[in-house]
Amino acid sequence: MTALFAFRPFTTSPLSSDMITAVLAFADVQEPAGADRTKLRISPERLAQPDVLEALGGGVSRVADITVVWNEREGQVVRVIDDAQLRRSQPEPWEAYFDLFDEEPARRAA
């Protein structure tokens, strides 16, 4: 019975150059990051479009976690940010119901 509730570590596939290239090619969210740098991401709406789905295949959900910081002046990638661990650290919607039972029951007025 303990195997059913055993801890399973969260693992993600490693980033590849194809994933970074996909973000650069399909990015539709651009946020200024200062010093001629721009944060590039692919929005969920863009990820659902047929051309992106065809190009990425099964890696669509993984590419959604990637932010690329691009330097306009140098024309190169400065940093790649992977939000997969951050996304996983947030509680699932069903986990909020367990918080209802953590508190002590309210005392009734006599």
Side-chain angles (χ1 to χ4, degrees):
M1 188 78 171
T2 58
L4 179 63
F5 298 105
F7 174 73
R8 292 183 213 140
F10 177 71
T11 59
T12 58
S13 60
L15 292 178
S16 69
S17 61
D18 292 337
M19 292 178 186
I20 296 167
T21 302
V23 172
L24 293 173
F26 297 113
D28 62 335
V29 177
Q30 300 178 358
E31 299 174 7
D36 292 328
R37 296 176 179 179
T38 306
K39 291 181 182 179
L40 303 172
R41 291 187 63 90
I42 304 175
S43 68
E45 294 82 19
R46 180 75 173 122
L47 285 171
Q49 293 179 348
D51 60 334
V52 178
L53 289 172
E54 182 180 338
L56 298 177
V60 172
S61 61
R62 185 70 178 103
V63 173
D65 295 328
I66 300 171
T67 300
V68 175
V69 180
W70 178 259
N71 188 331
E72 289 293 330
R73 185 176 19 174
E74 301 293 327
Q76 65 184 10
V77 173
V78 176
R79 184 175 181 194
V80 177
I81 303 168
D82 185 7
D83 292 335
Q85 293 291 341
L86 177 64
R87 180 178 47 89
R88 180 60 183 138
S89 67
Q90 297 173 354
E92 297 290 332
W94 59 267
E95 291 177 325
Y97 291 110
F98 287 109
D99 292 339
L100 297 174
F101 303 106
D102 289 341
E103 299 176 8
E104 293 181 21
R107 292 187 175 178
R108 295 184 182 187

